[in-house]
Amino acid sequence: MHLVPTLIHALTTATLAAAVTPTRRSLPLSLNPTPQDLSNVTTGVSMRAPQALTNAKRLALGLPLLRPHRRITAPPTSSPLPPVPQRCNIRAVGTDNTDFGYLSPLWNGFGEYGMFQASPDGALELAFSYSPGSPSQISITAANGPSAMYSFFGAIVGFASTSNDFGLGSYHYAYLGGTTQTAAGAPPSSDGDNSFSAATGISKDIESAIWSYDPVTHALTAQWVNTDGAAPATHIVYANDSNKALAITGDVVAFQDTFGAPYPELLFTCVPPTPVTTTY
Ligand SMILES: *[C@@H]1O[C@H](CO)[C@@H](O)[C@H](O)[C@H]1NC(C)=O
Ligand SMILES: *[C@@H]1O[C@H](CO)[C@@H](O)[C@H](O)[C@H]1NC(C)=O
């Protein structure tokens, strides 16, 4: 007997929401594009195997053409100690100690990481090498990520950011998603293909060499590089609502205020994956 009133309530609420939404054009901003922003490119496409739009397809859709590809090659590093290979799953804990579990090898419909699972089995597995003397500016690959085309666990400038620079008092952010590789210490690259741009058709700059690893605590922290080469304080945040998106920002409070949600700040730990043992 509750079904009918509930249904009517749901329909009324939906109708009201639809009627009200267009007037809410000011703050809070939207972390991700809405369908109207996508210039005829469909959202919610399966991100298990994203395809970059070809220029021919982009032309047909009336989208700007992609710049021709230039490979970025990292400058040779003269490290006194040999690099150490490391593999890990990501365990995420809030700064308030909320345990989010392990990051899953999945993207949301916008090509962003942000799904978690309780077990390390089948969790996202990262691979990288670090110089013991300076374990920073590391690019990390996702060994079992959603797409080999964007195999780096990197950062993609946020849709609502008005520049590529982070800083105190600024909500500017970058999603954690699949990217190509950019050079250590380099500012945001407009050259990089990435999972967000493939999903939305919206071109955004990327950085892959954002990670620092502490071999003692196993903490994995992010460091964004601004367009002028500066290294602003960088925090990992989780848009834990329907966005289900991980991002990095220079100011957690400005980020929360801008998007109107108590998005928690997260700390990542690199947990070595349990070796696969065959029990038969
Ligand atoms: C693309 O979007 C425009 C404006 O939103 C719309 O008029 C047009 O019909 C759309 N084209 C396709 C192919 O969906
Ligand atoms: C997101 O996390 C914050 C902080 O832990 C919490 O207050 C909020 O309820 C969460 N939001 C959702 C939608 O789960």
Side-chain angles (χ1 to χ4, degrees):
M1 278 326 276
H2 286 312
L3 189 63
V4 171
T6 307
L7 190 63
I8 288 167
H9 175 73
L11 287 172
T12 313
T13 311
T15 311
L16 284 176
V20 164
T21 304
T23 61
R24 295 183 61 228
R25 283 304 293 166
S26 53
L27 289 174
L29 289 183
S30 173
L31 185 84
N32 270 310
T34 58
Q36 304 93 280
D37 297 319
L38 292 184
S39 326
N40 306 68
V41 180
T42 345
T43 51
V45 288
S46 163
M47 290 307 300
R48 291 302 301 181
Q51 296 293 314
L53 291 174
T54 61
N55 271 339
K57 219 168 190 177
R58 295 178 67 86
L59 209 71
L61 290 170
L63 292 170
L65 298 185
L66 298 170
R67 273 159 284 201
H69 243 265
R70 216 165 7 96
R71 269 263 156 255
I72 302 169
T73 39
T77 46
S78 47
S79 165
L81 293 163
V84 179
Q86 181 71 43
R87 289 180 92 84
C88 52
N89 300 130
I90 289 190
R91 180 96 193 240
V93 174
T95 47
D96 66 354
N97 282 325
T98 307
D99 187 357
F100 288 86
Y102 296 87
L103 187 58
S104 297
L106 300 169
W107 290 328
N108 63 18
F110 298 103
E112 300 149 1
Y113 286 104
M115 321 268 182
F116 289 94
Q117 57 188 65
S119 165
D121 295 341
L124 180 67
E125 192 173 322
L126 303 179
F128 60 95
S129 312
Y130 64 91
S131 311
S134 162
S136 58
Q137 300 187 335
I138 301 165
S139 284
I140 297 182
T141 55
N144 61 347
S147 165
M149 280 178 78
Y150 318 108
S151 58
F152 285 83
F153 183 63
I156 307 153
V157 169
F159 165 75
S161 291
T162 57
S163 84
N164 287 350
D165 294 328
F166 289 7
L168 266 185
S170 164
Y171 69 86
H172 288 167
Y173 64 106
Y175 312 110
L176 294 184
T179 70
T180 46
Q181 188 172 18
T182 66
S189 167
S190 58
D191 238 6
D193 283 340
N194 65 78
S195 52
F196 174 83
S197 295
T200 62
I202 298 169
S203 183
K204 286 290 168 189
D205 293 353
I206 61 161
E207 286 182 20
S208 72
I210 57 168
W211 298 107
S212 299
Y213 175 63
D214 185 326
V216 177
T217 64
H218 308 293
L220 201 58
T221 51
Q223 176 62 67
W224 183 252
V225 177
N226 279 345
T227 48
D228 65 356
T234 306
H235 306 269
I236 300 167
V237 280
Y238 182 33
N240 59 334
D241 51 13
S242 58
N243 285 290
K244 294 267 178 292
L246 286 168
I248 54 175
T249 182
D251 188 326
V252 176
V253 172
F255 182 84
Q256 293 167 333
D257 287 351
T258 298
F259 298 111
Y263 293 149
E265 176 173 3
L266 300 192
L267 303 172
F268 283 175
T269 305
C270 169
V271 180
T274 357
V276 179
T277 47
T278 323
T279 51
Y280 52 88

